Amino acid sequence: MKFTKKAIALVAGLAMCMGLAACGGSRSGSASSDSSSKLEDGATIGISMPTKSEERWNKDGNNLKKKLESAGYKVILSFADDKPAQQNSDIENMVNNDAKIVVVASKDGTAVGPAVEKAHDAGAKVIAYDRLIMNTEAVDYYATFQLEQVGVLEANYLIDKLGLKDGATGPFNIELFTGSPDDNNAKYFFKGAWDLLQPYFESGVLVSPSNHGGGVTKDFTVDDWQKISVQSWKAEQAQKDMESILDSTYANGEKLDAVLSPYDGISQGIINAIQSKRPDMVPGSDTWPFITGQDAMEIAVANISKDMQGETVFKNVNDLADAVYDMIIEIAKGEEVTGINGEFNNNKIDVPSKLLDPQNITKDNLSDLVSAGYITQERFDELTK
């Protein structure tokens, strides 16, 4: 009798496990759905952005919210004020309000794990937006840009401007910065750039004479990226770091040829420091360094037009919002998610990913931002006049 009961329980357990198709072990993210998972009309969608203090996250969050509300969905949009604990609380609030899909641009890709696990346990689909959520199986999809390509575009700009492919021998003085140490994307940005720049350090054509981050030499590796990082991507921290570099290494008229900056806000901090510490450096002349950036912020548009910043990598957040919107609609209809063209491992699973192409923007094609609908002609004229 006991054996029979145990056997029945075992069979029932196996049947349940097969029905759920998720019994133990790590999983590889699935890019499929079915009609039984269709959402009701007017379902709630949660969108969690990391901060309101940066221009792009306001655009990202509000673009997606507007599109989803136009399609009839209820949207909870929150901004975490750069605080991981706040973001976790925001996501839990979305779960408590019966959010069926939760879109998360994480402040800290690891710290947000417990909150998305609660969302997943409650039956919600989780989409990592632009920043991968790490060390958890509770991520269904990831949407971002080709991350290493961002660094490739930045490095190639510097290589071109310094004439390295044409045989220039320098040595050229360059200082390097990476993004926030709690943002997994920052490593990929740097890898794309460092893979191209490291051989020039190896040959001695590029040198970083300061001791920033303990010193960047030919032996510096991608895994060392956090040594030259800027917490929370803050302009203020970048300015402080750059002022220290200038005071220690460039205080007596030494030439600074280039700065690898991964983000327009950091670029602004670098520009502020140069203007404060080295007023003899003049934008538009050979005394001013080539400076990179990312995100095509309004301040970058102005800086590029005034020869203070050389380039920015444009990641059209309108396109990213469109891509995630399409993903949400397909999930809501119980359809297979289309456009998956890659995967990223978050140390637990391979997350199915939709990867978009970034674009290099310099003074020569600055108006492409208007053509793309990213900025109005009127605002463009105000920034560039």
Side-chain angles (χ1 to χ4, degrees):
M1 186 69 174
K2 288 182 180 179
F3 172 80
T4 303
K5 286 182 178 179
K6 288 181 178 179
I8 292 172
L10 177 60
V11 171
L14 288 172
M16 181 177 293
C17 212
M18 291 174 65
L20 292 174
C23 225
S26 64
R27 66 180 178 89
S28 176
S30 172
S32 64
S33 187
D34 58 68
S35 58
S36 64
S37 63
K38 290 173 63 174
L39 301 187
E40 69 277 8
D41 292 341
T44 298
I45 311 294
I47 303 171
S48 175
M49 293 285 127
T51 182
K52 257 191 173 182
S53 65
E54 295 175 26
E55 178 186 320
R56 69 152 299 187
W57 298 116
N58 289 279
K59 285 187 175 180
D60 283 79
N62 286 297
N63 283 348
L64 189 53
K65 180 176 186 287
K66 182 179 179 180
K67 289 177 69 67
L68 289 169
E69 287 180 338
S70 295
Y73 293 95
K74 180 180 177 182
V75 178
I76 302 172
L77 172 62
S78 65
F79 295 87
D81 194 29
D82 282 317
K83 299 173 182 175
Q86 180 62 51
Q87 187 160 46
N88 282 4
S89 178
D90 291 341
I91 294 169
E92 290 177 12
N93 179 62
M94 293 169 188
V95 174
N96 293 336
N97 282 277
D98 201 29
K100 300 300 184 184
I101 300 173
V102 178
V103 179
V104 181
S106 58
K107 163 58 186 168
D108 184 320
T110 298
V112 79
V116 299
E117 285 167 4
K118 288 182 180 179
H120 222 243
D121 290 344
K125 293 288 187 181
V126 175
I127 300 172
Y129 188 102
D130 200 44
R131 296 176 174 178
L132 186 57
I133 299 169
M134 304 299 295
N135 303 318
T136 178
E137 295 183 13
V139 190
D140 295 285
Y141 301 100
Y142 179 35
T144 189
F145 291 83
Q146 298 280 3
L147 301 180
E148 288 188 28
Q149 185 62 19
V150 173
V152 168
L153 292 172
E154 292 171 347
N156 274 330
Y157 170 79
L158 297 179
I159 289 169
D160 177 62
K161 289 298 181 181
L162 294 173
L164 304 189
K165 286 185 178 178
D166 296 329
T169 57
F172 298 102
N173 291 335
I174 183 173
E175 299 298 333
L176 300 89
F177 292 79
T178 60
S180 188
D182 55 11
D183 185 345
N184 186 63
N185 285 9
K187 178 180 180 178
Y188 290 103
F189 299 149
F190 181 64
K191 183 180 186 305
W194 187 241
D195 285 350
L196 295 179
L197 296 177
Q198 192 277 337
Y200 294 106
F201 276 81
E202 186 83 38
S203 66
V205 175
L206 291 179
V207 294
S208 183
S210 77
N211 197 41
H212 179 46
V216 178
T217 69
K218 64 181 178 61
D219 298 318
F220 200 80
T221 71
V222 171
D223 290 335
D224 294 324
W225 71 274
Q226 291 180 329
K227 295 179 180 179
I228 54 173
S229 62
V230 178
Q231 182 65 47
S232 298
W233 304 84
K234 292 294 187 182
E236 297 83 2
Q237 184 61 53
Q239 179 173 344
K240 180 179 178 182
D241 292 345
M242 190 66 200
E243 286 176 347
S244 177
I245 289 170
L246 291 169
D247 283 341
S248 66
T249 311
Y250 299 91
N252 297 310
E254 293 85 353
K255 183 169 174 53
L256 173 62
D257 296 289
V259 181
L260 177 73
S261 166
Y263 164 63
D264 295 337
I266 291 174
S267 307
Q268 182 61 54
I270 291 163
I271 291 167
N272 291 345
I274 294 172
Q275 290 178 321
S276 171
K277 296 292 183 176
R278 287 290 302 273
D280 59 304
M281 292 185 181
V282 180
S285 76
D286 61 5
T287 63
W288 190 263
F290 299 110
I291 301 173
T292 62
Q294 177 187 182
D295 277 351
M297 293 173 63
E298 288 193 351
I299 190 63
V301 173
N303 285 338
I304 290 171
S305 72
K306 298 168 185 173
D307 297 314
M308 290 192 290
Q309 181 174 327
E311 68 89 58
T312 185
V313 178
F314 175 40
K315 302 187 305 182
N316 193 337
V317 296
N318 296 330
D319 289 346
L320 185 58
D322 288 346
V324 173
Y325 171 80
D326 291 341
M327 191 180 285
I328 290 170
I329 296 302
E330 288 169 340
I331 294 171
K333 291 181 177 179
E335 299 174 351
E336 181 178 352
V337 172
T338 60
I340 300 299
N341 59 347
E343 60 183 25
F344 272 83
N345 188 279
N346 73 347
N347 298 331
K348 285 287 186 178
I349 59 171
D350 295 321
V351 183
S353 304
K354 185 178 288 192
L355 307 175
L356 308 181
D357 292 322
Q359 178 187 355
N360 204 41
I361 296 291
T362 66
K363 195 172 184 178
D364 291 337
N365 65 340
L366 198 54
S367 62
D368 282 3
L369 299 175
V370 178
S371 303
Y374 187 73
I375 190 171
T376 66
Q377 184 67 57
E378 179 181 10
R379 184 58 178 152
F380 181 84
D381 292 342
E382 291 174 355
L383 292 168
T384 59
K385 67 182 180 181

